[in-house]
Amino acid sequence: MAGLFDQQADIYLDARPTYPLQWYSMLAARTLHRSLAWDVGTGNGQAAIGVAEHYEQVIGTDVSEAQLQHAIPHPKVKCLYTPLSISDEELLSSIGGENSVDLITVAQAVHWFDLPKFYSLVTRLLRKPGGIVAVWCYNNIAVNPTFDPVMKRFHDTTLPDWNPNIQYVFDGYKTLLFHLKVVGGSEGQPLALDIPKKLSFEGFLRMLRSWPAVVTAKNQGVDLLFENVVKELETAWGRSNLVRSVAYKAFMLAGKVKL
């Protein structure tokens, strides 16, 4: 999947919502120490910067060099390129070693991971006791009763072009394997969260163009956002320069290592 995110790196930063600050406060309150955090699949570093408000150092890692090139600089955040070929021991060493990390976050990415490998690393890296891991994502955008059905029709046209792992997102992480003791949400029932945002229609289109399914289809010569589709979405939105208050429908699981 890294190649797809390389292609959309330039629009990914602008198109995505900003996670609410209270999420980071909530997670920080659950950890006993605030020395080191690891943001996995950090991309442009959005979540890492939020975490850095509460922790002394944050290490953000990603398998996409192109995404990291768009990372927002922050004095407490160190971004590392971690190709799929990196060994577990190299990764452990580059982050801080066993029993060293107070918080591990994964925003909009854990569904792409090799989950058994990831949980093995989490078990070794998290500080015990007191370390927390949190994974979150969003799978829908609520605008209004006029726009939402039109959006659903477009979304349905993208389904054949998604990687199968996206089903975890469509399910709201209810079916995601979570090999940890849940402390936020419950097994099969993640915390339901909203991400409020002021969004223009052009910003909304940039988000759609960053979808992996839309990129995949375009690489195969199919433009899912052809003129008539864009026009239908724009009409339902209201007008192209109209800024609306929307809500991204998000969900989160948080847990700690079982002792």
Side-chain angles (χ1 to χ4, degrees):
M1 291 300 298
L4 281 177
F5 288 104
D6 287 349
Q7 293 178 52
Q8 62 193 18
D10 58 340
I11 57 175
Y12 196 90
L13 174 61
D14 182 54
R16 299 291 160 164
T18 301
Y19 306 118
L21 296 179
Q22 58 265 35
W23 291 14
Y24 305 112
S25 301
M26 174 183 69
L27 294 171
R30 292 179 178 270
T31 60
L32 294 181
H33 306 278
R34 300 185 184 181
S35 297
L36 178 63
W38 177 30
D39 186 46
V40 198
T42 197
N44 57 53
Q46 180 190 129
I49 289 176
V51 171
E53 294 302 311
H54 301 276
Y55 292 82
E56 294 175 16
Q57 183 183 13
V58 181
I59 296 177
T61 63
D62 207 291
V63 298
S64 169
E65 283 188 286
Q67 286 283 341
L68 291 176
Q69 287 170 5
H70 289 80
I72 307 163
H74 190 284
K76 292 167 66 176
V77 177
K78 178 182 179 181
C79 291
L80 298 175
Y81 171 52
T82 52
L84 294 174
S85 58
I86 193 172
S87 70
D88 288 357
E89 298 307 318
E90 287 178 296
L91 186 56
L92 282 165
S93 176
S94 65
I95 293 167
E98 297 197 16
N99 203 42
S100 65
V101 179
D102 301 303
L103 174 68
I104 296 174
T105 54
V106 191
Q108 203 77 9
V110 78
H111 44 281
W112 305 127
F113 292 0
D114 178 335
L115 291 174
K117 178 178 179 178
F118 172 65
Y119 290 128
S120 175
L121 288 167
V122 164
T123 300
R124 296 176 66 182
L125 279 165
L126 270 185
R127 189 193 294 268
K128 297 171 277 293
I132 295 292
V133 59
V135 301
W136 67 81
C137 205
Y138 54 88
N139 63 0
N140 200 2
I141 180 173
V143 179
N144 60 36
T146 299
F147 184 83
D148 294 349
V150 178
M151 174 60 185
K152 185 181 185 307
R153 286 199 296 274
F154 168 73
H155 181 272
D156 289 347
T157 69
T158 72
L159 294 178
D161 296 293
W162 285 102
N163 181 289
N165 282 26
I166 201 65
Q167 192 60 45
Y168 290 128
V169 177
F170 294 163
D171 291 343
Y173 279 4
K174 292 178 181 178
T175 57
L176 182 78
L177 297 175
F178 197 67
H179 296 164
L180 299 160
K181 183 178 179 180
V182 178
V183 298
S186 60
E187 193 80 34
Q189 195 61 49
L191 290 172
L193 303 163
D194 279 355
I195 307 174
K197 186 175 177 66
K198 297 286 188 180
L199 189 64
S200 69
F201 182 70
E202 286 303 315
F204 170 75
L205 275 184
R206 285 194 293 272
M207 182 197 70
L208 295 188
R209 291 187 178 115
S210 75
W211 280 10
V214 172
V215 176
T216 295
K218 194 165 186 177
N219 288 344
Q220 296 171 349
V222 178
D223 186 2
L224 295 175
L225 284 167
F226 59 91
E227 184 178 353
N228 288 350
V229 170
V230 172
K231 188 62 179 176
E232 183 181 20
L233 289 166
E234 182 180 344
T235 299
W237 186 273
R239 60 183 187 274
S240 62
N241 62 348
L242 178 63
V243 175
R244 289 194 174 277
S245 296
V246 307
Y248 289 84
K249 312 305 286 186
F251 38 90
M252 176 189 290
L253 279 169
K256 60 183 180 180
V257 175
K258 298 175 182 178
L259 299 177

